[in-house]
Amino acid sequence: MEDPRDPFPLTLPLMFDDKHGNNGLGSKLEDVESNHHQASTSSSSFFKTCFNGLNALSGVGILSVPYALASGGWLSLILFFTLALAAFYSGLLIQRCMDYDSNIRTYPDIGERAFGNKGRILVSIAMYTELYLVSAGFLILEGDNLYNLFPGVGFEVAGLAISGKQCFVLIVALVILPSVWLDNLSLLSYVSASGVLASAIILCSILWTGAFDGVGFHQEGTPINWSGIPTAVSLYAFCYCAHPVFPTLYTSMKNKHQFSNVLLLCFVICTVSYASMAVFGYLMFGSGVQSQITLNLPTGKLSSKVAIYTTLVNPIAKYALMVTPIVDAVKNGFPCFLNKRLFGLLIGTTLVISSVIVALAVPFFASLMSLVGAFLSVTASIILPCLCYLKISGIYRTFNCEVVALVGIILMGVAVTTIGTYTSVLEIIGNLKI
């Protein structure tokens, strides 16, 4: 039986090996939306687990890494690789935590095993808040890029002027809303699984724009910009926020001893992709690179249109998959409602409306994602795995090199969270005053 306290369907892999006929993949995808955990246990091969891991790590963060590099300067790449290494190590710690207790199946289970019900609540809050803010970030991203393509759009309602970006946020929300009402998200799961391909297409399109469409790679940049380091590190951290998915990827594997190799391959590929985008984007546009590199691209070029339209399609498909776990969590939190279907529609609609309000009130993609990266991604992907491993393993009672390393990583995470959150909030407040 599934745990009603942890309705997090997105943690299940989107691809499985089929041993039971041609309809196996379809039934497994239905299990994703139904939370039938046992049906998908130990069914994924090394290759398909790698694909799911890459899909989890590949996200909209690739659009902001050039801006992050421009904010911190060339030497901030050292911090980027440090964060990548820390995130990889914390992923291995999640595997170790699960090896201590075979009953652990999800990320909140790890929090509960370490710190009881309070640990589960803390982990769940971090997960759901991150999902909610990222879904709001999707709307901002869509509004920014559509306005870049069609700058003259806008209308007036009852004497209230609605600008182009706000107009597109509302339009995209209306397009997305029916997908939130769906009970079966299997089709969107397929589209969401294209995140790896989408990231590759965006990277290749932008490289083509720089090499062959007259932009070039001529900007020199600055060695380091101390004032921009907090923003840079926060955006770098946002790229590595897939840790809540790792427990289910681990339980889904046939050969679980290969999971560390899966993590290594996924982190190497994604880190190379993120770093390549950051370096080439910075060389192309220098300090003028915007919060989403697609906003810098010349819209008249075919390669630019491919990158922009690929950027637009993926978040629309992923939005429903992002908010569905929140809807299920709220529904399971109020079992007194007999009509779960109607209640789910109400919650889904409310989430869309509220995320639209957030997107319109705080239309600053980089600042919002920087806040998510500093406050939530670092907490969920670096600090909590280290704390949970220290508690579950009991090694905090001894003094050795690993304990020193774990304490060092935790202190680094706390510093990034504190400074990054403070800087992000100040940026948002400052932008609101303009």
PDB file of all heavy atoms in Angstrom, residues 243-281:
ATOM      1  N   HIS A 243      17.135  15.771  -6.232  1.00  0.00           N
ATOM      2  CA  HIS A 243      17.340  14.738  -5.211  1.00  0.00           C
ATOM      3  C   HIS A 243      16.060  14.071  -4.695  1.00  0.00           C
ATOM      4  O   HIS A 243      16.101  12.883  -4.352  1.00  0.00           O
ATOM      5  CB  HIS A 243      18.138  15.319  -4.042  1.00  0.00           C
ATOM      6  CG  HIS A 243      19.577  15.556  -4.390  1.00  0.00           C
ATOM      7  ND1 HIS A 243      19.976  16.381  -5.417  1.00  0.00           N
ATOM      8  CD2 HIS A 243      20.734  15.062  -3.843  1.00  0.00           C
ATOM      9  CE1 HIS A 243      21.289  16.392  -5.493  1.00  0.00           C
ATOM     10  NE2 HIS A 243      21.778  15.604  -4.556  1.00  0.00           N
ATOM     11  N   PRO A 244      14.920  14.773  -4.607  1.00  0.00           N
ATOM     12  CA  PRO A 244      13.704  14.068  -4.181  1.00  0.00           C
ATOM     13  C   PRO A 244      13.321  12.903  -5.089  1.00  0.00           C
ATOM     14  O   PRO A 244      12.584  12.013  -4.669  1.00  0.00           O
ATOM     15  CB  PRO A 244      12.644  15.172  -4.226  1.00  0.00           C
ATOM     16  CG  PRO A 244      13.403  16.424  -3.953  1.00  0.00           C
ATOM     17  CD  PRO A 244      14.706  16.234  -4.670  1.00  0.00           C
ATOM     18  N   VAL A 245      13.808  12.884  -6.330  1.00  0.00           N
ATOM     19  CA  VAL A 245      13.494  11.800  -7.256  1.00  0.00           C
ATOM     20  C   VAL A 245      14.412  10.593  -7.065  1.00  0.00           C
ATOM     21  O   VAL A 245      14.039   9.465  -7.376  1.00  0.00           O
ATOM     22  CB  VAL A 245      13.605  12.314  -8.712  1.00  0.00           C
ATOM     23  CG1 VAL A 245      13.277  11.214  -9.710  1.00  0.00           C
ATOM     24  CG2 VAL A 245      12.701  13.513  -8.924  1.00  0.00           C
ATOM     25  N   PHE A 246      15.594  10.803  -6.517  1.00  0.00           N
ATOM     26  CA  PHE A 246      16.599   9.744  -6.447  1.00  0.00           C
ATOM     27  C   PHE A 246      16.150   8.494  -5.692  1.00  0.00           C
ATOM     28  O   PHE A 246      16.471   7.378  -6.128  1.00  0.00           O
ATOM     29  CB  PHE A 246      17.893  10.285  -5.823  1.00  0.00           C
ATOM     30  CG  PHE A 246      18.629  11.270  -6.700  1.00  0.00           C
ATOM     31  CD1 PHE A 246      19.641  12.073  -6.183  1.00  0.00           C
ATOM     32  CD2 PHE A 246      18.312  11.410  -8.038  1.00  0.00           C
ATOM     33  CE1 PHE A 246      20.321  12.970  -6.971  1.00  0.00           C
ATOM     34  CE2 PHE A 246      18.981  12.314  -8.847  1.00  0.00           C
ATOM     35  CZ  PHE A 246      19.994  13.089  -8.319  1.00  0.00           C
ATOM     36  N   PRO A 247      15.428   8.610  -4.563  1.00  0.00           N
ATOM     37  CA  PRO A 247      15.022   7.373  -3.874  1.00  0.00           C
ATOM     38  C   PRO A 247      14.204   6.433  -4.747  1.00  0.00           C
ATOM     39  O   PRO A 247      14.390   5.211  -4.710  1.00  0.00           O
ATOM     40  CB  PRO A 247      14.202   7.889  -2.682  1.00  0.00           C
ATOM     41  CG  PRO A 247      14.774   9.242  -2.414  1.00  0.00           C
ATOM     42  CD  PRO A 247      15.087   9.799  -3.759  1.00  0.00           C
ATOM     43  N   THR A 248      13.287   6.976  -5.561  1.00  0.00           N
ATOM     44  CA  THR A 248      12.465   6.108  -6.393  1.00  0.00           C
ATOM     45  C   THR A 248      13.252   5.578  -7.571  1.00  0.00           C
ATOM     46  O   THR A 248      13.031   4.446  -8.013  1.00  0.00           O
ATOM     47  CB  THR A 248      11.209   6.862  -6.867  1.00  0.00           C
ATOM     48  OG1 THR A 248      10.591   7.470  -5.748  1.00  0.00           O
ATOM     49  CG2 THR A 248      10.241   5.924  -7.533  1.00  0.00           C
ATOM     50  N   LEU A 249      14.178   6.363  -8.100  1.00  0.00           N
ATOM     51  CA  LEU A 249      15.056   5.845  -9.141  1.00  0.00           C
ATOM     52  C   LEU A 249      15.854   4.658  -8.617  1.00  0.00           C
ATOM     53  O   LEU A 249      16.052   3.659  -9.309  1.00  0.00           O
ATOM     54  CB  LEU A 249      16.015   6.934  -9.626  1.00  0.00           C
ATOM     55  CG  LEU A 249      15.411   8.116 -10.388  1.00  0.00           C
ATOM     56  CD1 LEU A 249      16.510   9.087 -10.801  1.00  0.00           C
ATOM     57  CD2 LEU A 249      14.624   7.655 -11.591  1.00  0.00           C
ATOM     58  N   TYR A 250      16.289   4.781  -7.365  1.00  0.00           N
ATOM     59  CA  TYR A 250      17.077   3.709  -6.749  1.00  0.00           C
ATOM     60  C   TYR A 250      16.239   2.444  -6.568  1.00  0.00           C
ATOM     61  O   TYR A 250      16.672   1.340  -6.922  1.00  0.00           O
ATOM     62  CB  TYR A 250      17.613   4.188  -5.411  1.00  0.00           C
ATOM     63  CG  TYR A 250      18.401   3.151  -4.642  1.00  0.00           C
ATOM     64  CD1 TYR A 250      19.608   2.662  -5.137  1.00  0.00           C
ATOM     65  CD2 TYR A 250      17.951   2.661  -3.417  1.00  0.00           C
ATOM     66  CE1 TYR A 250      20.334   1.711  -4.442  1.00  0.00           C
ATOM     67  CE2 TYR A 250      18.669   1.718  -2.715  1.00  0.00           C
ATOM     68  CZ  TYR A 250      19.855   1.245  -3.230  1.00  0.00           C
ATOM     69  OH  TYR A 250      20.574   0.301  -2.536  1.00  0.00           O
ATOM     70  N   THR A 251      15.032   2.577  -6.030  1.00  0.00           N
ATOM     71  CA  THR A 251      14.188   1.403  -5.794  1.00  0.00           C
ATOM     72  C   THR A 251      13.710   0.782  -7.103  1.00  0.00           C
ATOM     73  O   THR A 251      13.340  -0.391  -7.127  1.00  0.00           O
ATOM     74  CB  THR A 251      12.964   1.768  -4.937  1.00  0.00           C
ATOM     75  OG1 THR A 251      12.219   2.815  -5.575  1.00  0.00           O
ATOM     76  CG2 THR A 251      13.375   2.232  -3.559  1.00  0.00           C
ATOM     77  N   SER A 252      13.692   1.557  -8.193  1.00  0.00           N
ATOM     78  CA  SER A 252      13.200   1.034  -9.467  1.00  0.00           C
ATOM     79  C   SER A 252      14.251   0.207 -10.213  1.00  0.00           C
ATOM     80  O   SER A 252      13.924  -0.471 -11.186  1.00  0.00           O
ATOM     81  CB  SER A 252      12.749   2.184 -10.370  1.00  0.00           C
ATOM     82  OG  SER A 252      13.860   2.901 -10.886  1.00  0.00           O
ATOM     83  N   MET A 253      15.510   0.256  -9.772  1.00  0.00           N
ATOM     84  CA  MET A 253      16.587  -0.404 -10.510  1.00  0.00           C
ATOM     85  C   MET A 253      16.613  -1.909 -10.277  1.00  0.00           C
ATOM     86  O   MET A 253      16.362  -2.387  -9.173  1.00  0.00           O
ATOM     87  CB  MET A 253      17.947   0.188 -10.122  1.00  0.00           C
ATOM     88  CG  MET A 253      18.210   1.562 -10.678  1.00  0.00           C
ATOM     89  SD  MET A 253      19.967   1.993 -10.558  1.00  0.00           S
ATOM     90  CE  MET A 253      20.663   0.928 -11.848  1.00  0.00           C
ATOM     91  N   LYS A 254      16.929  -2.628 -11.348  1.00  0.00           N
ATOM     92  CA  LYS A 254      17.140  -4.072 -11.205  1.00  0.00           C
ATOM     93  C   LYS A 254      18.402  -4.347 -10.393  1.00  0.00           C
ATOM     94  O   LYS A 254      18.392  -5.117  -9.434  1.00  0.00           O
ATOM     95  CB  LYS A 254      17.291  -4.711 -12.589  1.00  0.00           C
ATOM     96  CG  LYS A 254      16.062  -4.703 -13.462  1.00  0.00           C
ATOM     97  CD  LYS A 254      16.408  -5.297 -14.818  1.00  0.00           C
ATOM     98  CE  LYS A 254      15.250  -5.204 -15.783  1.00  0.00           C
ATOM     99  NZ  LYS A 254      15.621  -5.699 -17.130  1.00  0.00           N
ATOM    100  N   ASN A 255      19.498  -3.700 -10.804  1.00  0.00           N
ATOM    101  CA  ASN A 255      20.790  -3.892 -10.136  1.00  0.00           C
ATOM    102  C   ASN A 255      21.123  -2.624  -9.350  1.00  0.00           C
ATOM    103  O   ASN A 255      21.722  -1.682  -9.881  1.00  0.00           O
ATOM    104  CB  ASN A 255      21.881  -4.187 -11.172  1.00  0.00           C
ATOM    105  CG  ASN A 255      21.591  -5.439 -11.974  1.00  0.00           C
ATOM    106  OD1 ASN A 255      21.189  -6.461 -11.423  1.00  0.00           O
ATOM    107  ND2 ASN A 255      21.779  -5.358 -13.284  1.00  0.00           N
ATOM    108  N   LYS A 256      20.730  -2.617  -8.093  1.00  0.00           N
ATOM    109  CA  LYS A 256      20.851  -1.394  -7.304  1.00  0.00           C
ATOM    110  C   LYS A 256      22.302  -1.012  -7.020  1.00  0.00           C
ATOM    111  O   LYS A 256      22.582   0.154  -6.740  1.00  0.00           O
ATOM    112  CB  LYS A 256      20.075  -1.552  -5.992  1.00  0.00           C
ATOM    113  CG  LYS A 256      18.569  -1.642  -6.205  1.00  0.00           C
ATOM    114  CD  LYS A 256      17.821  -1.776  -4.887  1.00  0.00           C
ATOM    115  CE  LYS A 256      16.323  -1.694  -5.104  1.00  0.00           C
ATOM    116  NZ  LYS A 256      15.811  -2.657  -6.103  1.00  0.00           N
ATOM    117  N   HIS A 257      23.205  -1.966  -7.126  1.00  0.00           N
ATOM    118  CA  HIS A 257      24.610  -1.624  -6.874  1.00  0.00           C
ATOM    119  C   HIS A 257      25.164  -0.714  -7.972  1.00  0.00           C
ATOM    120  O   HIS A 257      26.245  -0.127  -7.805  1.00  0.00           O
ATOM    121  CB  HIS A 257      25.447  -2.902  -6.769  1.00  0.00           C
ATOM    122  CG  HIS A 257      25.553  -3.675  -8.047  1.00  0.00           C
ATOM    123  ND1 HIS A 257      24.599  -4.568  -8.473  1.00  0.00           N
ATOM    124  CD2 HIS A 257      26.513  -3.679  -9.018  1.00  0.00           C
ATOM    125  CE1 HIS A 257      24.951  -5.082  -9.641  1.00  0.00           C
ATOM    126  NE2 HIS A 257      26.121  -4.560  -9.994  1.00  0.00           N
ATOM    127  N   GLN A 258      24.440  -0.606  -9.085  1.00  0.00           N
ATOM    128  CA  GLN A 258      24.880   0.258 -10.175  1.00  0.00           C
ATOM    129  C   GLN A 258      24.406   1.706 -10.024  1.00  0.00           C
ATOM    130  O   GLN A 258      24.725   2.550 -10.858  1.00  0.00           O
ATOM    131  CB  GLN A 258      24.377  -0.286 -11.517  1.00  0.00           C
ATOM    132  CG  GLN A 258      24.986  -1.610 -11.935  1.00  0.00           C
ATOM    133  CD  GLN A 258      24.506  -2.043 -13.308  1.00  0.00           C
ATOM    134  OE1 GLN A 258      23.371  -1.770 -13.705  1.00  0.00           O
ATOM    135  NE2 GLN A 258      25.370  -2.712 -14.047  1.00  0.00           N
ATOM    136  N   PHE A 259      23.663   1.984  -8.969  1.00  0.00           N
ATOM    137  CA  PHE A 259      23.069   3.314  -8.837  1.00  0.00           C
ATOM    138  C   PHE A 259      24.129   4.408  -8.741  1.00  0.00           C
ATOM    139  O   PHE A 259      23.953   5.498  -9.283  1.00  0.00           O
ATOM    140  CB  PHE A 259      22.156   3.368  -7.602  1.00  0.00           C
ATOM    141  CG  PHE A 259      21.411   4.673  -7.474  1.00  0.00           C
ATOM    142  CD1 PHE A 259      20.400   5.004  -8.353  1.00  0.00           C
ATOM    143  CD2 PHE A 259      21.727   5.577  -6.472  1.00  0.00           C
ATOM    144  CE1 PHE A 259      19.704   6.199  -8.243  1.00  0.00           C
ATOM    145  CE2 PHE A 259      21.053   6.778  -6.351  1.00  0.00           C
ATOM    146  CZ  PHE A 259      20.038   7.091  -7.238  1.00  0.00           C
ATOM    147  N   SER A 260      25.235   4.121  -8.055  1.00  0.00           N
ATOM    148  CA  SER A 260      26.286   5.127  -7.954  1.00  0.00           C
ATOM    149  C   SER A 260      26.863   5.458  -9.335  1.00  0.00           C
ATOM    150  O   SER A 260      27.200   6.622  -9.615  1.00  0.00           O
ATOM    151  CB  SER A 260      27.412   4.639  -7.027  1.00  0.00           C
ATOM    152  OG  SER A 260      27.948   3.409  -7.495  1.00  0.00           O
ATOM    153  N   ASN A 261      26.941   4.450 -10.216  1.00  0.00           N
ATOM    154  CA  ASN A 261      27.402   4.697 -11.581  1.00  0.00           C
ATOM    155  C   ASN A 261      26.392   5.524 -12.367  1.00  0.00           C
ATOM    156  O   ASN A 261      26.766   6.368 -13.199  1.00  0.00           O
ATOM    157  CB  ASN A 261      27.666   3.378 -12.312  1.00  0.00           C
ATOM    158  CG  ASN A 261      28.807   2.593 -11.701  1.00  0.00           C
ATOM    159  OD1 ASN A 261      29.752   3.175 -11.180  1.00  0.00           O
ATOM    160  ND2 ASN A 261      28.725   1.272 -11.746  1.00  0.00           N
ATOM    161  N   VAL A 262      25.109   5.276 -12.103  1.00  0.00           N
ATOM    162  CA  VAL A 262      24.051   6.071 -12.738  1.00  0.00           C
ATOM    163  C   VAL A 262      24.203   7.539 -12.340  1.00  0.00           C
ATOM    164  O   VAL A 262      24.164   8.441 -13.192  1.00  0.00           O
ATOM    165  CB  VAL A 262      22.654   5.556 -12.338  1.00  0.00           C
ATOM    166  CG1 VAL A 262      21.568   6.552 -12.760  1.00  0.00           C
ATOM    167  CG2 VAL A 262      22.386   4.200 -12.965  1.00  0.00           C
ATOM    168  N   LEU A 263      24.365   7.778 -11.031  1.00  0.00           N
ATOM    169  CA  LEU A 263      24.525   9.152 -10.557  1.00  0.00           C
ATOM    170  C   LEU A 263      25.744   9.813 -11.173  1.00  0.00           C
ATOM    171  O   LEU A 263      25.685  10.970 -11.612  1.00  0.00           O
ATOM    172  CB  LEU A 263      24.640   9.173  -9.034  1.00  0.00           C
ATOM    173  CG  LEU A 263      23.370   9.001  -8.214  1.00  0.00           C
ATOM    174  CD1 LEU A 263      23.688   9.137  -6.730  1.00  0.00           C
ATOM    175  CD2 LEU A 263      22.306  10.008  -8.606  1.00  0.00           C
ATOM    176  N   LEU A 264      26.851   9.082 -11.217  1.00  0.00           N
ATOM    177  CA  LEU A 264      28.083   9.646 -11.769  1.00  0.00           C
ATOM    178  C   LEU A 264      27.893  10.053 -13.232  1.00  0.00           C
ATOM    179  O   LEU A 264      28.245  11.169 -13.625  1.00  0.00           O
ATOM    180  CB  LEU A 264      29.222   8.625 -11.657  1.00  0.00           C
ATOM    181  CG  LEU A 264      30.573   9.069 -12.223  1.00  0.00           C
ATOM    182  CD1 LEU A 264      31.094  10.309 -11.494  1.00  0.00           C
ATOM    183  CD2 LEU A 264      31.585   7.925 -12.130  1.00  0.00           C
ATOM    184  N   LEU A 265      27.308   9.163 -14.029  1.00  0.00           N
ATOM    185  CA  LEU A 265      27.100   9.455 -15.445  1.00  0.00           C
ATOM    186  C   LEU A 265      26.150  10.641 -15.628  1.00  0.00           C
ATOM    187  O   LEU A 265      26.416  11.549 -16.436  1.00  0.00           O
ATOM    188  CB  LEU A 265      26.544   8.215 -16.153  1.00  0.00           C
ATOM    189  CG  LEU A 265      26.315   8.338 -17.663  1.00  0.00           C
ATOM    190  CD1 LEU A 265      27.629   8.654 -18.372  1.00  0.00           C
ATOM    191  CD2 LEU A 265      25.692   7.052 -18.210  1.00  0.00           C
ATOM    192  N   CYS A 266      25.048  10.651 -14.878  1.00  0.00           N
ATOM    193  CA  CYS A 266      24.065  11.735 -15.000  1.00  0.00           C
ATOM    194  C   CYS A 266      24.672  13.076 -14.603  1.00  0.00           C
ATOM    195  O   CYS A 266      24.470  14.095 -15.300  1.00  0.00           O
ATOM    196  CB  CYS A 266      22.843  11.444 -14.132  1.00  0.00           C
ATOM    197  SG  CYS A 266      21.813  10.079 -14.721  1.00  0.00           S
ATOM    198  N   PHE A 267      25.408  13.098 -13.503  1.00  0.00           N
ATOM    199  CA  PHE A 267      25.993  14.357 -13.042  1.00  0.00           C
ATOM    200  C   PHE A 267      27.076  14.848 -13.996  1.00  0.00           C
ATOM    201  O   PHE A 267      27.186  16.055 -14.237  1.00  0.00           O
ATOM    202  CB  PHE A 267      26.543  14.198 -11.626  1.00  0.00           C
ATOM    203  CG  PHE A 267      25.545  14.519 -10.557  1.00  0.00           C
ATOM    204  CD1 PHE A 267      24.698  13.536 -10.062  1.00  0.00           C
ATOM    205  CD2 PHE A 267      25.436  15.799 -10.038  1.00  0.00           C
ATOM    206  CE1 PHE A 267      23.766  13.824  -9.084  1.00  0.00           C
ATOM    207  CE2 PHE A 267      24.512  16.099  -9.055  1.00  0.00           C
ATOM    208  CZ  PHE A 267      23.665  15.110  -8.574  1.00  0.00           C
ATOM    209  N   VAL A 268      27.873  13.938 -14.541  1.00  0.00           N
ATOM    210  CA  VAL A 268      28.920  14.355 -15.476  1.00  0.00           C
ATOM    211  C   VAL A 268      28.304  14.966 -16.736  1.00  0.00           C
ATOM    212  O   VAL A 268      28.698  16.055 -17.180  1.00  0.00           O
ATOM    213  CB  VAL A 268      29.826  13.163 -15.849  1.00  0.00           C
ATOM    214  CG1 VAL A 268      30.713  13.519 -17.039  1.00  0.00           C
ATOM    215  CG2 VAL A 268      30.689  12.766 -14.661  1.00  0.00           C
ATOM    216  N   ILE A 269      27.312  14.273 -17.317  1.00  0.00           N
ATOM    217  CA  ILE A 269      26.684  14.770 -18.549  1.00  0.00           C
ATOM    218  C   ILE A 269      26.000  16.110 -18.310  1.00  0.00           C
ATOM    219  O   ILE A 269      26.174  17.063 -19.086  1.00  0.00           O
ATOM    220  CB  ILE A 269      25.678  13.745 -19.091  1.00  0.00           C
ATOM    221  CG1 ILE A 269      26.406  12.492 -19.571  1.00  0.00           C
ATOM    222  CG2 ILE A 269      24.851  14.342 -20.223  1.00  0.00           C
ATOM    223  CD1 ILE A 269      25.488  11.373 -20.017  1.00  0.00           C
ATOM    224  N   CYS A 270      25.216  16.208 -17.226  1.00  0.00           N
ATOM    225  CA  CYS A 270      24.481  17.449 -16.965  1.00  0.00           C
ATOM    226  C   CYS A 270      25.427  18.594 -16.600  1.00  0.00           C
ATOM    227  O   CYS A 270      25.214  19.739 -17.017  1.00  0.00           O
ATOM    228  CB  CYS A 270      23.455  17.225 -15.858  1.00  0.00           C
ATOM    229  SG  CYS A 270      22.019  16.271 -16.385  1.00  0.00           S
ATOM    230  N   THR A 271      26.470  18.289 -15.837  1.00  0.00           N
ATOM    231  CA  THR A 271      27.417  19.338 -15.459  1.00  0.00           C
ATOM    232  C   THR A 271      28.153  19.868 -16.681  1.00  0.00           C
ATOM    233  O   THR A 271      28.345  21.092 -16.826  1.00  0.00           O
ATOM    234  CB  THR A 271      28.419  18.805 -14.422  1.00  0.00           C
ATOM    235  OG1 THR A 271      27.710  18.395 -13.245  1.00  0.00           O
ATOM    236  CG2 THR A 271      29.436  19.882 -14.041  1.00  0.00           C
ATOM    237  N   VAL A 272      28.546  18.974 -17.580  1.00  0.00           N
ATOM    238  CA  VAL A 272      29.198  19.411 -18.820  1.00  0.00           C
ATOM    239  C   VAL A 272      28.238  20.267 -19.649  1.00  0.00           C
ATOM    240  O   VAL A 272      28.631  21.293 -20.219  1.00  0.00           O
ATOM    241  CB  VAL A 272      29.689  18.191 -19.630  1.00  0.00           C
ATOM    242  CG1 VAL A 272      30.134  18.611 -21.029  1.00  0.00           C
ATOM    243  CG2 VAL A 272      30.833  17.493 -18.903  1.00  0.00           C
ATOM    244  N   SER A 273      26.971  19.853 -19.722  1.00  0.00           N
ATOM    245  CA  SER A 273      25.978  20.620 -20.490  1.00  0.00           C
ATOM    246  C   SER A 273      25.759  22.002 -19.897  1.00  0.00           C
ATOM    247  O   SER A 273      25.764  23.016 -20.627  1.00  0.00           O
ATOM    248  CB  SER A 273      24.649  19.860 -20.527  1.00  0.00           C
ATOM    249  OG  SER A 273      24.795  18.604 -21.154  1.00  0.00           O
ATOM    250  N   TYR A 274      25.558  22.063 -18.572  1.00  0.00           N
ATOM    251  CA  TYR A 274      25.351  23.357 -17.906  1.00  0.00           C
ATOM    252  C   TYR A 274      26.574  24.262 -18.063  1.00  0.00           C
ATOM    253  O   TYR A 274      26.451  25.457 -18.365  1.00  0.00           O
ATOM    254  CB  TYR A 274      25.052  23.142 -16.426  1.00  0.00           C
ATOM    255  CG  TYR A 274      23.656  22.654 -16.133  1.00  0.00           C
ATOM    256  CD1 TYR A 274      23.430  21.551 -15.314  1.00  0.00           C
ATOM    257  CD2 TYR A 274      22.549  23.314 -16.653  1.00  0.00           C
ATOM    258  CE1 TYR A 274      22.148  21.109 -15.030  1.00  0.00           C
ATOM    259  CE2 TYR A 274      21.259  22.880 -16.373  1.00  0.00           C
ATOM    260  CZ  TYR A 274      21.066  21.768 -15.566  1.00  0.00           C
ATOM    261  OH  TYR A 274      19.797  21.340 -15.290  1.00  0.00           O
ATOM    262  N   ALA A 275      27.758  23.690 -17.856  1.00  0.00           N
ATOM    263  CA  ALA A 275      28.975  24.490 -17.955  1.00  0.00           C
ATOM    264  C   ALA A 275      29.199  24.986 -19.384  1.00  0.00           C
ATOM    265  O   ALA A 275      29.619  26.137 -19.593  1.00  0.00           O
ATOM    266  CB  ALA A 275      30.177  23.674 -17.488  1.00  0.00           C
ATOM    267  N   SER A 276      28.910  24.131 -20.365  1.00  0.00           N
ATOM    268  CA  SER A 276      29.060  24.535 -21.759  1.00  0.00           C
ATOM    269  C   SER A 276      28.128  25.690 -22.094  1.00  0.00           C
ATOM    270  O   SER A 276      28.533  26.675 -22.733  1.00  0.00           O
ATOM    271  CB  SER A 276      28.777  23.349 -22.692  1.00  0.00           C
ATOM    272  OG  SER A 276      29.679  22.293 -22.456  1.00  0.00           O
ATOM    273  N   MET A 277      26.869  25.572 -21.667  1.00  0.00           N
ATOM    274  CA  MET A 277      25.920  26.653 -21.919  1.00  0.00           C
ATOM    275  C   MET A 277      26.372  27.939 -21.236  1.00  0.00           C
ATOM    276  O   MET A 277      26.281  29.040 -21.821  1.00  0.00           O
ATOM    277  CB  MET A 277      24.534  26.261 -21.403  1.00  0.00           C
ATOM    278  CG  MET A 277      23.477  27.352 -21.570  1.00  0.00           C
ATOM    279  SD  MET A 277      23.093  27.717 -23.286  1.00  0.00           S
ATOM    280  CE  MET A 277      21.814  26.490 -23.591  1.00  0.00           C
ATOM    281  N   ALA A 278      26.853  27.837 -20.007  1.00  0.00           N
ATOM    282  CA  ALA A 278      27.301  29.023 -19.274  1.00  0.00           C
ATOM    283  C   ALA A 278      28.466  29.698 -19.989  1.00  0.00           C
ATOM    284  O   ALA A 278      28.454  30.922 -20.215  1.00  0.00           O
ATOM    285  CB  ALA A 278      27.702  28.638 -17.846  1.00  0.00           C
ATOM    286  N   VAL A 279      29.454  28.915 -20.374  1.00  0.00           N
ATOM    287  CA  VAL A 279      30.665  29.478 -20.998  1.00  0.00           C
ATOM    288  C   VAL A 279      30.348  30.077 -22.359  1.00  0.00           C
ATOM    289  O   VAL A 279      30.706  31.232 -22.653  1.00  0.00           O
ATOM    290  CB  VAL A 279      31.751  28.389 -21.122  1.00  0.00           C
ATOM    291  CG1 VAL A 279      32.904  28.886 -21.985  1.00  0.00           C
ATOM    292  CG2 VAL A 279      32.260  27.982 -19.743  1.00  0.00           C
ATOM    293  N   PHE A 280      29.668  29.320 -23.211  1.00  0.00           N
ATOM    294  CA  PHE A 280      29.379  29.824 -24.561  1.00  0.00           C
ATOM    295  C   PHE A 280      28.410  31.001 -24.525  1.00  0.00           C
ATOM    296  O   PHE A 280      28.552  31.961 -25.292  1.00  0.00           O
ATOM    297  CB  PHE A 280      28.831  28.692 -25.434  1.00  0.00           C
ATOM    298  CG  PHE A 280      29.863  27.673 -25.810  1.00  0.00           C
ATOM    299  CD1 PHE A 280      29.710  26.333 -25.467  1.00  0.00           C
ATOM    300  CD2 PHE A 280      31.000  28.039 -26.514  1.00  0.00           C
ATOM    301  CE1 PHE A 280      30.665  25.396 -25.818  1.00  0.00           C
ATOM    302  CE2 PHE A 280      31.966  27.105 -26.872  1.00  0.00           C
ATOM    303  CZ  PHE A 280      31.794  25.780 -26.512  1.00  0.00           C
ATOM    304  N   GLY A 281      27.413  30.933 -23.629  1.00  0.00           N
ATOM    305  CA  GLY A 281      26.488  32.051 -23.519  1.00  0.00           C
ATOM    306  C   GLY A 281      27.169  33.321 -23.052  1.00  0.00           C
ATOM    307  O   GLY A 281      26.885  34.433 -23.552  1.00  0.00           O
TER     308      GLY A 281
END
